[in-house]
Amino acid sequence: MMVSIGFWESLFAAKTAIFIGITNSMLAAVCAIVIGSICGVAMGFIMTYARKYVVFPFRLFVDIVRGIPGLVVVFTIYYFLDVFLRSYGIKLPGLLAGIIALSVTNTAQMAELTRGALQSIPRGQIEAGKAIGLRFGQILYYILLPQALIQMLPPWVNTATETVKGTTLLMLIGISELLLVTQQLIATNNHALKYYCFIGLVYFVLNTIIELAGKAAEKRLRF
Amino acid sequence: MDENLLQIRGLEKWFGTLKVFEGVDLDVKAGEVVSIIGASGSGKTTLLRCVNLLETFQAGTILLDGNPVGYHEANSKRKRFSERVIARQRLLTGMVFQQFNLFPHMTALCNVSLGLIKVKKLSKAEAEKEASRWLERVGLSDKIHSRPSQLSGGQQQRVAIARAVAMNPKILLFDEPTSALDPELVGEVLNVIKQLAADGATMVIVTHEMRFAYEVSDKVVFMDKGKIASMGTPAEIFEERKSDRLKEFLSTFNS
Ligand SMILES: Nc1ncnc2c1ncn2[C@@H]1O[C@H](COP(=O)(O)OP(=O)(O)OP(=O)(O)O)[C@@H](O)[C@H]1O
Ligand SMILES: [Mg+2]
């Protein structure tokens, strides 16, 4: 049933639904970025400095995840977790599955970024650290990690904005993120184009904030 | 008094199938300044890196202050010390690299104080006081808060020297400290090294600056193809030029 009210009126009436949508989208994005960054940086260090047979499974993970479409990762993890938890009689919370799926994608990206950044740090840095008697853990923490993080900042921002966009995939496993909420609203009125422009603007603003924060951090940290 | 601070005996080093050293012996006494000269690829850098334990070596011993470093005998087998022990043994030597290898994300002060805080366990205040004292000694009191990227090559190398000496090593190792510098910046770095020598520091310096080697050294070592081909006072090496190989090598440098 179409109700013929104006766009702004309809948007205002739907403010709670839209707020929930934005919250879910942001929650998924932030969790995936944080988890992906922590796990990815750790994985990147392992892939750069561990022994070959330790590196191998991580390498495999990163290559597989990066080599398949994000949506396939989302579906695979969703159905895997669903089946797994159901065997214990637990119902899978959709948002959790979504966060895990996006985190997996993010981890693989961040691992590759970290590995690249670490590999580009000259060997002389490790040697200078050793020469003043630092142990390897201290060299990692005080010398390699900060340099890698600073170098990774621009591609990291890129990955973060891709993650924000990637949250739209989660509508396909039924999570009430911004795009799904919007589509449900559009079904009840005739403002489709305006709604899409509106949420386009929301994503754009979110990503612009991330980009600006990244630029500011880069400026402060650049050496 | 007469004891060797550094004593190298029968050092052998392989890179895969390439034999870099053929039994190198070298003694350095406390307070002595030893220069190492020689053609490219003769093994000068590798020798310093072995002493600093940045390279493994397959045979021979290196004694620092009377104690073997790098390897020890266990059940009549030669074993490398654990990384923890090696990290401690590295404190006996200070290394100054050709490419400076300063930490680019830290100020000059942090570059020098990092080891004092994390290895020597000084408090931050003590470490920074000590670090600024050394930076002053190398003539950089006004650059304490500069990042390496804001410094000239000569200034960077002086920070690197301050970083090495601040750890109070028994021996300072220099690997071509001025080779990466523009000619007009060489002097300021060599002056700092001369000053340290005058203050009684024990040093081993790989260099292509023959005049500097002549002036500053107590002993000059000429390396050729992984061996010490000649060794003597600066006068013996630069004036008498006893072997043909040495003559040939020195003739490639004018004056
Ligand atoms: N990491 C390495 N792997 C394999 N071979 C190496 C390595 N480092 C050095 N070598 C070889 O060992 C030999 C000695 O090298 P080294 O760097 O010690 O010479 P050098 O006397 O310092 O030369 P230069 O004056 O050019 O600095 C050379 O033949 C070099 O090719
Ligand atoms: Mg060399």
Side-chain angles (χ1 to χ4, degrees), chain A residues 24 138 149 206 216:
Chain A
N24 280 339
Q138 295 175 312
L149 291 183
L206 285 177

Side-chain angles (χ1 to χ4, degrees), chain B residues 39-46 49 98 175-176 206 208:
Chain B
S40 182
S42 56
K44 308 178 296 295
T45 297
T46 308
R49 291 169 57 86
Q98 188 174 346
D175 187 15
E176 300 191 30
V206 171
H208 289 299

